[in-house]
Amino acid sequence: AQKITQTQPGMFVQEKEAVTLDCTYDTSDPSYGLFWYKQPSSGEMIFLIYQGSYDQQNATEGRYSLNFQKARKSANLVISASQLGDSAMYFCAMRETGYSSASKIIFGSGTRLSIRP
Amino acid sequence: DVKVTQSSRYLVKRTGEKVFLECVQDMDHENMFWYRQDPGLGLRLIYFSYDVKMKEKGDIPEGYSVSREKKERFSLILESASTNQTSMYLCASLNSGTGLRNTIYFGEGSWLTVV
C-alpha cells in the first residue's frame, strides 16, 4: 500500500549546522515523484524540492538537497547551513501515476524543525 | 499565479449539522484534493478528483463526501458533523501536464470547529 513515513516528530538544530530530515516511502508503482514541502507558522505550504523515481541524480535546490536511495525507498531532505528562518514543519509527499487520469498525492506526518541561535 | 481559494477560513458548527467547505481554483487544473491536517498526523487525504468525471476516495473518506460539478470547484461535504471532524482542511489543485514534476498548489486552509 502507498505510504509515507516520517519518523522524527521534532528536531532541534544549531544555526549554521546541516540537518537531515528522514522520509521513507512505500509504493508498488514504478513511476512516482517525491516532494518536500515547508509549512511555517503562517500555515502556507511552500514547495522545496522534487525527485522523480527515474532521476539518476539526487535533486538539489539551493541549500536543499534530496538524498534519494531508491533501493531503500528513502528520500531524505538535507538542509545545509541552517538558518533561523528554516524553523517550520516539513512534509514529505509522494505522487503516483497508478491511476489512468488522476494523480494521488499523499503526505507524511511531518517533522517540526526548530533552529537554535 | 495559481490561486486556490477556500471560501471560509474559520467555521464553528454544531454536531449533526451539514457542512460545506468550498474550494475554487483559477488555473483550469484537472486534479483537485481535500486533506485534513491534524497535529502529529500530518496531511491525510480525504478525497481527490480528476475533472468532473471522476472522484476517488482517499485514505480517510468516512464521514465525508465531495462534489465537483464544475472543473474549477471542488466541495467537501460533512453530512453530519461530529466533534472528531474538528480540524484544519486544506484544498489543493494540480495540473496533470506532462510528467510528475508539477507541484501541488494549496489553499489557505479552513479551520473547522465542531461543538
Side-chain angles (χ1 to χ4, degrees), chain B residues 8-108:
Chain B
S8 304
R9 287 300 309 273
Y10 302 96
L11 305 93
V12 179
K13 298 292 181 180
R14 295 195 178 277
T15 301
E17 275 193 76
K18 190 169 186 177
V19 180
F20 292 87
L21 299 180
E22 307 286 344
C23 176
V24 177
Q25 49 94 3
D26 65 358
M27 283 299 291
D28 203 36
H29 286 174
E30 294 87 358
N31 294 278
M32 295 189 75
F33 308 81
W34 275 106
Y35 297 89
R36 63 176 285 177
Q37 183 175 358
D38 300 287
L41 298 176
L43 277 71
R44 292 181 291 166
L45 181 62
I46 305 172
Y47 269 93
F48 60 109
S49 168
Y50 180 83
D51 208 337
V52 297
K53 298 184 287 292
M54 195 279 284
K55 294 170 286 186
E56 192 77 23
K57 292 179 180 179
D59 296 326
I60 53 163
E62 296 79 17
Y64 304 94
S65 62
V66 290
S67 170
R68 194 161 179 200
E69 296 182 0
K70 293 185 178 181
K71 190 176 181 181
E72 67 270 19
R73 185 181 298 270
F74 192 36
S75 301
L76 181 69
I77 304 160
L78 287 68
E79 296 289 343
S80 177
S82 63
T83 54
N84 63 12
Q85 292 178 309
T86 292
S87 185
M88 206 266 274
Y89 291 86
L90 280 166
C91 175
S93 75
L94 171 75
N95 186 4
S96 293
T98 54
L100 290 164
R101 179 176 289 274
N102 296 342
T103 188
I104 191 170
Y105 292 88
F106 285 91
E108 292 184 316

Side-chain angles (χ1 to χ4, degrees), chain A residues 44-59:
Chain A
E44 63 186 304
M45 295 288 280
I46 301 168
F47 166 72
L48 296 178
I49 197 166
Y50 166 84
Q51 179 83 43
S53 59
Y54 293 119
D55 291 345
Q56 295 297 311
Q57 292 189 323
N58 287 345

Side-chain angles (χ1 to χ4, degrees), chain A residues 79-98:
Chain A
I79 305 174
S80 63
S82 57
Q83 303 171 356
L84 295 178
D86 294 332
S87 294
M89 280 291 289
Y90 289 81
F91 292 101
C92 181
M94 177 170 65
R95 177 183 176 185
E96 289 185 334
T97 58

